[in-house]
Amino acid sequence: MTGSTTPIHQQSVAAREKIISAWDTSRLAPFRATYRALTAIVKRSWLLSSPTINSVLGFPRVPIHGKPAKGFRYEFLHLPPSNEPGNPPETITTDVVVIGSGCGGAVAAKNLAESGYRVLVVEKSYSYTSDTFPMLPNEGFVNMFEGGGTVLSDDGSVAILAGSTWGGGGTVNWSAALQTQAYVRQEWAGNGLPFFTSLQFQRSLDRVCDRIGVTEHVCHNHQNNILLDGAHRLGYSAKPVPQNTGDDEHYCGYCTLGCNSAAKKGPAESWLVDAANAGAIFMEGFRADRVLFTETNDIRVASGVEGTWTSRDSYLGLNGQGAVRRKLIIQAKKVVVASGALQSPLLLLRSGLDNPQIGRNLHLHPGKKFPFLGSI
């Protein structure tokens, strides 16, 4: 790998740098993957440990803009410890089980609960109130991101930051709220989905924007202002992106660590609140293993979900000491799989479905950001 018989740790810093840099353009894919993995680890470690990066970018540890607020307080379903030998599974019955509390699952839960159905929303991760935000970078990665924020594509070329917390990606994503662009809708319609160019779909988009208060009243942070000013000086077309801030002006800066002002109207501050007010029930710490099916007239119909529920530990943390762990079967008339673009296909495959399109055609937005400093 080094092209030398001298062990790499015995070579000069300059020689080591040259060796590792050469891997980036190697014709051998494993070398390129190793380079990307190593540099990703170094960059992440530097971002988490640098004593100066936050001040240079204009991010004081304690937010100085806006006022902290108490968001909606959720109640979560808990199971008692099992005293029976073998810890047999608990069974719960409901009309609809929604797997995932993010943008898709939350909207489904609201609409179904308001239509009179008994709705249970299950989330594999855990909830945090707005007064715990913004988290420290290392806390935010571990508690609110898939894989601790270290998910990479197989070849190491793309790092994927996916939310894994109550409210899903809507809790940690930027508050950017863009309607689906016309050319994308036309492409979908051209593939046999005419609904996406219909007036009905446009009205659906408008209803979403109205509920979460999409507005352009944003007070940008230091680095965003520099980007906007630079773009204007270069003659580029640049303007603020609409944000889901409840029609109020909002300082942009800490979205990825959690919004302590509860001003960002993600699922936990909008759709799930509506679902709760309509009688929906919630469960955190439930990892879905597989969707259950029954045969009806030679047709497989989803009839529930099986998984494992793990409570918080004795100190309300996630270290596991004193936590209750139970197998759980949720029987339901309808199952909504809303576990995100990464996890939904995996759940369907674990459930025995073999449609060749499951998990195919994933597109990732090429957004660039420091993974805990909001948008740049």
Side-chain angles (χ1 to χ4, degrees), residues 53-138:
I53 183 67
N54 281 13
S55 58
V56 169
L57 294 176
F59 284 88
R61 172 64 193 97
V62 178
I64 59 176
H65 303 273
K67 296 180 179 179
K70 289 186 177 181
F72 188 83
R73 300 287 170 158
Y74 291 90
E75 294 184 3
F76 293 95
L77 186 64
H78 287 76
L79 301 179
S82 174
N83 296 320
E84 300 181 40
N87 192 17
E90 182 81 19
T91 300
I92 296 176
T93 302
T94 187
D95 291 335
V96 182
V97 57
V98 179
I99 308 172
S101 65
C103 297
V107 175
K110 164 193 163 67
N111 289 335
L112 291 165
E114 290 181 346
S115 297
Y117 293 97
R118 294 180 300 155
V119 175
L120 171 60
V121 180
V122 295
E123 167 61 52
K124 71 174 182 179
S125 299
Y126 297 84
S127 68
Y128 299 93
T129 55
S130 58
D131 53 12
T132 64
F133 296 147
M135 291 189 179
L136 290 168
N138 56 342

Side-chain angles (χ1 to χ4, degrees), residues 9 44 49 63 113 182 188 195 240 260 305 308 326 337-338:
H9 67 278
R44 184 174 184 273
S49 61
W188 293 347
F195 170 73
N260 76 324
V305 61
T308 303
R326 295 290 306 274
V337 176

Side-chain angles (χ1 to χ4, degrees), residues 268-281:
E269 299 296 339
S270 56
W271 309 103
L272 292 171
V273 176
D274 295 343
N277 291 332
I281 298 173

Side-chain angles (χ1 to χ4, degrees), residues 39-57:
T39 53
I41 291 171
V42 171
K43 291 172 184 176
R44 184 174 184 273
S45 300
W46 172 70
L47 285 169
L48 293 178
S49 61
S50 171
T52 58
I53 183 67
N54 281 13
S55 58
V56 169
L57 294 176

Side-chain angles (χ1 to χ4, degrees), residues 204-275:
S204 296
L205 292 177
D206 293 339
R207 285 179 59 200
V208 169
C209 290
D210 289 342
R211 174 62 186 90
I212 59 181
V214 174
T215 180
E216 295 184 6
H217 302 313
V218 56
C219 178
H220 276 288
N221 58 36
H222 174 66
Q223 55 193 18
N224 280 2
N225 282 325
I226 290 178
L227 284 175
L228 282 171
D229 181 61
H232 293 156
R233 289 171 182 262
L234 291 169
Y236 297 161
S237 175
K239 62 180 181 179
V241 172
Q243 299 192 348
N244 58 319
T245 56
D247 295 316
D248 294 327
E249 184 175 82
H250 179 59
Y251 175 76
C252 177
Y254 293 86
C255 286
T256 312
L257 289 173
C259 182
N260 76 324
S261 66
K264 182 175 69 172
K265 302 306 178 185
E269 299 296 339
S270 56
W271 309 103
L272 292 171
V273 176
D274 295 343

